[in-house]
Amino acid sequence: MSTGSFSAPEARALLERVLSARSASSSTDDAVAAAAELRASLQGLALLEGMPAEVARPAMAAARLLKNQGSDGADVGDEVEAAVDEVSSALARLLDPEEPAEPEEPEEHTEPKDGAEAPADGVETMEGTSDPLLAEFLEEATEHLSSAEEKLLDLAEAPGDGDALNSVFRSVHTVKGGAGILDLEPLLRFAHSAESMLDLAREGAIRLEGHPLDLCFEALDILSSILEGLASGAESFALPPRYGDALAQLDAIADVGDQAPGAEVEATPAPMPVPPGPPSEPQAAPSEPEAPPVAPPEAKPRRRTDAASVKVATQRLDSMVDLVGELVITTAMVQQGASESSGLGADLYRTISHLSKVTTELQHMAMSMRMVPLKQTFQRAARLVRDVASKCGKSIRFESAGEDTELDRNVVERLGDPLIHMLRNAVDHGVEDPDAREAAGKPRTGTIRLEAYHESGRVVIVLSDDGGGMNRDRILAKAVASGLLTESQAAAMPDSEVWHLIFHPGLSTAQTVSSVSGRGVGMDVVRKNIEALRGSIDIESEPGAGSRMVIRLPLTLAIIDAMVVHVCGRPYILPTLTIQSFLRPAPEDVQTVQGRGEILTIRDQVLPIYRLAELLGCDGEASDATEGLLALTSGDGHDYALLVDDLRGQQQVVIKSLGSKSKSSAGISGAAILGDGTVGLILDPVGLARVALSGRGRARRSPALASAMHAHADSDS
């Protein structure tokens, strides 16, 4: 049994106050004042921050009994005595686990309370439901909780924002109403307690700052966790571990706010005495009924808008996109066959052209249906920065821009983990402690900014901070110590390549290992996950001024525009977005540098030339660079040229996944069926350049690529 974060001496002092007040209540002539003092003492004990539920619950139960005694004249003396004994015994076990606790009366009942079961291990459970309304409730409740979290983040920046507070209250109230209709008692009880505290904040009785605000965020997390349990379809599931403690704290704050109307509760709860007088004032409760609120007349236009939309399961949407992909492939085959036939009439050509146009429009429409904004991703990022900054003891302001930028839903879902790693590192390693920032002449509050925008048919996501920047010497020292580089290589390495060393597994420059980061894992996962999305990541950093990470992602993972090239007599596919241009170089533009291979000089730039034939392990038709075509591209902080034998044209292709053996091949991101029915490997220029660079500056043959190419040839045959 854990004592949490509460102060043991303070807890003992409060317990003594409770026992003293109980003793006084049995001997004093002023029963009303004695009851008020005992109630205040019990509430103070329950309100102690971090007090476990096994103490807070009976303490608040006894306080409520005393309140009811004053309001309805009921004699609850024996129940109060039993509750105080339970408080005393539970607190004794927490504070002195080795000493025998006071003898307790055997429990007379163990039945579940309020729809929640309490198994032998103390973990409360909740029963699921098969009500047909559950699916709709879960979807709407999830949206309401997401909206509430967004508004809570606004309240954290502007505590006096009444509109944001009202929005949070309405969201929680709606969730409570839906839980009542479906008879989800534990969810209803928790939402009601959260709503009561929010109502007190609306009335000005408490301030949503410090502990109450943190409790609001925790309440939303617990409500979300319960919704996930309901969505699992299980007959019963465990309630979140913090359910009981959080519920007790919510009730405690609500009771104190009700006890002193008009008085504000401090951010950190503390014992609050009750003024002498009969505590007969009824407990504040929301005036709204338990059923969901009826939409006001002005909501009618919104209902008409909702009626114009249809909710579709994501599986059906994905199946439709797959079928559209097959249609794109079939259309390409029809066009290819028509171009190779000489006896087709003009009418058939026009029909095929119209088919191609309709297919393209259908494809764009299908893909747009899977596009979702980055708003929720950015919202989770804001919450993560706030939580991690609090854990690290740092003051950080989060800024965002471009949250309405849209990406394929599948890309957004897989972007979550890399972004979490980057944000945690930015908070823990990037932004300095307030004292260090002040000593460096910076504001004590740091800034982390996340923005997104479209660029050349891709989505760019930029994460920046105004921290201390990366330490070149520390990164290189770690790389040399781990055997990645020699000292001479480290000295000659440009900054742009030094920063990319942090993506190497196990390389961490953190001076201490914390619960947040510092073990050298995470950033290598970031690059792998982003590359799996056919994206790239670049790093910019300036010592003392901060760092900037730039992620470039394709809009979708299903259908892409591509250039079909020939190498070694076989077709290969280069995504159009990765290619700047094609050119056939003049002899004077190509030079051979000893020890470094061929280079291209163009527009005052010097670019390395990588021969795809060599990387693929075959004999290309263009033995001389001037006999083939160069595809100019860039990525991973480098500009380079890829030598291909020939260019066969542009085509939309549907990406098909490869087998497990080819998935690990650097430089290959998938396959596609071309218009003539053959299979073409989709090449990743960034991965190809990395393969070439691994040969210390000159292109080398990649066994993995060669193996994939031979498998490709076998599949065609």
Side-chain angles (χ1 to χ4, degrees), residues 150 373-376 378-379 400-406 452:
E150 180 183 4
L374 288 167
K375 183 176 182 179
Q376 287 193 351
F378 278 32
Q379 181 178 320
S400 63
E403 60 184 15
D404 292 330
T405 304
E406 292 187 336

Side-chain angles (χ1 to χ4, degrees), residues 485-508:
L485 300 171
T486 64
E487 292 187 1
S488 59
Q489 289 172 337
M493 183 172 285
D495 287 347
S496 59
E497 295 185 17
V498 172
W499 310 145
H500 280 75
L501 290 174
I502 68 170
F503 293 123
H504 192 278
L507 195 148
S508 174

Side-chain angles (χ1 to χ4, degrees), residues 124-186:
E124 288 186 289
T125 62
M126 176 177 172
E127 293 183 358
T129 179
S130 57
D131 194 299
L133 295 176
L134 178 63
E136 184 175 354
F137 165 72
L138 291 175
E139 183 173 357
E140 292 182 356
T142 300
E143 293 176 359
H144 280 295
L145 293 182
S146 177
S147 174
E149 184 177 67
E150 180 183 4
K151 296 303 180 183
L152 270 186
L153 290 169
D154 293 341
L155 279 171
E157 297 292 330
D161 190 342
D163 291 339
L165 178 57
N166 288 331
S167 178
V168 176
F169 175 84
R170 287 192 298 269
S171 295
V172 175
H173 177 76
T174 303
V175 172
K176 184 193 79 169
I181 291 176
L182 296 176
D183 197 24
L184 304 172
E185 189 61 31

Side-chain angles (χ1 to χ4, degrees), residues 2-183:
S2 173
T3 60
S5 60
F6 71 93
S7 166
E10 190 173 358
R12 284 193 176 93
L14 287 169
L15 177 60
E16 291 176 2
R17 179 182 170 190
V18 169
L19 297 177
S20 175
R22 180 178 66 171
S23 176
S25 66
S26 63
S27 60
T28 182
D29 294 333
D30 191 350
V32 173
E37 173 61 23
L38 178 57
R39 181 184 174 210
S41 302
L42 288 165
Q43 287 179 333
L45 186 64
L47 276 169
L48 186 61
E49 185 173 3
M51 180 63 70
E54 55 262 41
V55 176
R57 276 183 173 178
M60 290 310 303
R64 288 196 186 94
L65 288 170
L66 288 167
K67 183 176 184 179
N68 293 336
Q69 184 179 28
S71 60
D72 57 21
D75 185 6
V76 294
D78 292 341
E79 295 180 63
V80 171
E81 286 287 327
V84 172
D85 287 340
E86 184 178 353
V87 170
S88 178
S89 299
L91 196 54
R93 290 194 302 270
L94 287 170
L95 299 177
D96 302 300
E98 301 301 328
E99 298 180 9
E102 296 181 12
E104 299 182 43
E105 294 293 330
E107 293 186 3
E108 298 180 358
H109 59 279
T110 57
E111 66 268 20
K113 296 182 180 180
D114 298 329
E117 300 178 358
D121 59 4
V123 178
E124 288 186 289
T125 62
M126 176 177 172
E127 293 183 358
T129 179
S130 57
D131 194 299
L133 295 176
L134 178 63
E136 184 175 354
F137 165 72
L138 291 175
E139 183 173 357
E140 292 182 356
T142 300
E143 293 176 359
H144 280 295
L145 293 182
S146 177
S147 174
E149 184 177 67
E150 180 183 4
K151 296 303 180 183
L152 270 186
L153 290 169
D154 293 341
L155 279 171
E157 297 292 330
D161 190 342
D163 291 339
L165 178 57
N166 288 331
S167 178
V168 176
F169 175 84
R170 287 192 298 269
S171 295
V172 175
H173 177 76
T174 303
V175 172
K176 184 193 79 169
I181 291 176
L182 296 176
D183 197 24

Side-chain angles (χ1 to χ4, degrees), residues 348-418:
L348 184 54
Y349 272 117
R350 282 194 296 270
T351 301
I352 293 174
S353 176
H354 182 66
L355 172 64
S356 176
K357 180 180 178 181
V358 172
T359 302
T360 301
E361 292 178 356
L362 179 60
Q363 174 229 322
H364 290 161
M365 180 62 67
M367 299 312 302
S368 67
M369 294 171 65
R370 278 210 322 197
M371 304 295 280
V372 296
L374 288 167
K375 183 176 182 179
Q376 287 193 351
T377 302
F378 278 32
Q379 181 178 320
R380 288 194 294 268
R383 173 71 186 279
L384 178 69
V385 169
R386 180 186 184 277
D387 293 347
V388 177
S390 176
K391 181 180 292 187
C392 296
K394 297 182 178 181
S395 176
I396 300 178
R397 179 177 63 254
F398 179 81
E399 298 178 352
S400 63
E403 60 184 15
D404 292 330
T405 304
E406 292 187 336
L407 261 175
D408 189 299
R409 176 178 56 82
N410 294 337
V411 178
V412 173
E413 289 177 354
R414 294 163 63 180
L415 179 64
D417 287 344

Side-chain angles (χ1 to χ4, degrees), residues 318-328:
D318 290 342
S319 297
M320 187 189 73
V321 171
D322 291 340
L323 290 174
V324 170
E326 296 299 324
L327 180 59
V328 169

